Amino acid sequence: LPLRLFLAVSFLAAGWDKLTDPQFFDSSAPGYIGAQLAGFAGQSPLGGFLTSVAVPNATIFGALVLAGELAIGLGALVGLFSRKAAFFGVLLSLTLWLTASWNVTPFFLGSDLPYALGWLTLLIAGAHPVLSLDGQIQKWRERQAVINEATTGETGFNPQEQAEVARRRFITVAGATVLAGAVTGVAWFKSLEDRNVSSGTATGSGTGAIGQANATSTAPATTSAPATAPTNAPSTAASNSTTAAAPATTAANSPTTAPAKPTTAPTTQVAAPAPKGVVLTPLSAIPVGSAKTFTTPGTGEPAIVIHEADGSVKAFSAICTHEGCEVGYNKSSQVLVCPCHGAQFDAKTGQVLRRPARQPLKSFQVQVDNSGNIIFVQG
Ligand code: FES
């Protein structure tokens, strides 16, 4: 009974949350179901299905999940069609595990797998014999059988029917046990695999990626200098970076260094190497303190490029490292925010500012070329 109530309330809350979320069906919002599904697609074993079927019909899929959660929750709450509700609860939870939670490591931090096994338990056990509508209906049937026996003399006992019920119960329990074992096994092996992968790349995708971002941030200081130098007067620095290339254009932030030699700026413009890569957008298309989403050339991964307040440009994967929703840029707080569970990331480094995400966002190397275009640097 406690498990049934917990599952029921959780599913009702999840359905209600979607129903009252103004972003869920709004295709222009970062919390749009289509954006979430697209975010899941890149990391899910059901990625092909999501991309080709679910994302193009995102609203229908969103509505089905919403209605499913409410119907399952309601059925479990009152104990009507309890086993059917539990069956669909298993299905929905496993689907969410294979999509939304697939990237959560270790596996026991994801919520959908425990939900699936909770529903599986309810599928085996059924609802409480008294505190459920199913139980009341069963009691009524039994009373009717007693009355029938008293009036007609028929016992209503059918050995074949009883054997069939026992056979179905055995199949249900055996199937559920095998399924639970298989799912737990998959989760366990995937978790081990993920740990191997992350221990092999943690430095690369964490420190290394941040290193890339730093390199990117210094490069634009050089390449974007021509754009900023004329407007900022000779004393203005485009950045307070102390990189080797920057000093030519960036004397310092302090006005006391105003008498910067006017001959240095042209020297940098000539020397700046043209970065190689794919043009994303002109820098001027992104106002300072704003961001734009894009898909990475080649892999098509959702990503976001930010024109920082200090003039530098940063780019990160837009896929939240918690459960794969697409993050958005919050202008006022200047952080990257995940609409699903509220994780926040530093817009300069991609580091986690607020859980539940634990891993930083993947960063991409971008530069601004002499024409003022943001270049997605390859390799
Ligand atoms: S998916 Fe959970 S916080 Fe982003």
Side-chain angles (χ1 to χ4, degrees):
L1 182 62
L3 176 65
R4 194 183 104 214
L5 289 180
F6 172 75
L7 293 172
V9 170
S10 300
F11 265 52
L12 284 172
W16 181 252
D17 192 53
K18 292 178 179 63
L19 193 64
T20 54
D21 180 357
Q23 296 196 8
F24 193 67
F25 290 116
D26 178 357
S27 59
S28 64
Y32 174 52
I33 176 65
Q36 294 184 42
L37 292 171
F40 300 152
Q43 61 195 355
S44 162
L46 304 180
F49 171 79
L50 291 177
T51 307
S52 58
V53 180
V55 174
N57 303 291
T59 304
I60 297 173
F61 269 77
L64 281 176
V65 171
L66 189 164
E69 285 175 339
L70 291 177
I72 292 166
L74 199 59
L77 185 68
V78 298
L80 183 63
F81 305 123
S82 307
R83 283 202 162 92
K84 288 188 178 67
F87 174 78
F88 286 108
V90 173
L91 269 189
L92 188 54
S93 299
L94 285 181
T95 306
L96 292 173
W97 173 57
L98 290 169
T99 52
S101 307
W102 186 250
N103 212 31
V104 179
T105 43
F107 71 93
F108 45 79
L109 293 180
S111 56
D112 294 312
L113 199 53
Y115 275 115
L117 296 187
W119 285 117
L120 206 54
T121 305
L122 197 59
L123 178 64
I124 296 170
H128 190 281
V130 178
L131 298 175
S132 68
L133 288 180
D134 285 342
Q136 293 305 315
I137 292 169
Q138 181 61 26
K139 275 182 83 177
W140 176 80
R141 281 193 182 138
E142 285 168 4
R143 269 201 304 269
Q144 290 300 110
V146 171
I147 293 169
N148 199 34
E149 186 181 347
T151 52
T152 65
E154 291 176 11
T155 62
F157 179 77
N158 184 336
Q160 277 182 341
E161 204 174 288
Q162 296 299 317
E164 178 61 18
V165 168
R167 192 181 69 87
R168 278 197 205 150
R169 278 212 183 121
F170 175 78
I171 290 172
T172 304
V173 173
T177 308
V178 169
L179 181 61
V183 163
T184 309
V186 169
W188 175 258
F189 280 115
K190 180 184 174 296
S191 195
L192 287 179
E193 213 170 71
D194 287 345
R195 198 159 58 177
N196 290 340
V197 171
S198 76
S199 63
T201 58
T203 312
S205 62
T207 322
I210 292 165
Q212 281 188 344
N214 288 341
T216 307
S217 71
T218 55
T222 309
T223 54
S224 64
T228 55
T231 55
N232 287 347
S235 63
T236 307
S239 152
N240 58 5
S241 166
T242 54
T243 61
T249 54
T250 63
N253 277 339
S254 166
T256 57
T257 57
K261 291 180 183 174
T263 53
T264 53
T267 308
T268 306
Q269 291 183 33
V270 173
K276 287 182 182 163
V278 176
V279 175
L280 292 179
T281 178
L283 180 62
S284 58
I286 309 177
V288 174
S290 303
K292 253 188 190 302
T293 55
F294 69 99
T295 51
T296 56
T299 60
E301 184 177 340
I304 188 162
V305 58
I306 305 147
H307 193 171
E308 305 280 359
D310 63 4
S312 63
V313 180
K314 302 285 170 57
F316 300 97
S317 165
I319 298 176
C320 178
T321 54
H322 177 228
E323 291 190 2
C325 291
E326 197 165 328
V327 302
Y329 181 68
N330 186 309
K331 270 188 185 180
S332 54
S333 56
Q334 299 192 347
V335 296
L336 294 159
V337 181
C338 178
C340 289
H341 310 105
Q344 293 187 0
F345 302 85
D346 189 316
K348 285 192 170 71
T349 63
Q351 293 291 337
V352 176
L353 297 177
R354 181 188 287 175
R355 287 187 176 184
R358 288 164 176 257
Q359 303 287 327
L361 292 175
K362 185 164 70 178
S363 69
F364 296 115
Q365 192 177 1
V366 288
Q367 291 187 354
V368 180
D369 69 8
N370 288 335
S371 306
N373 289 320
I374 300 175
I375 306 294
F376 183 85
V377 179
Q378 303 288 291

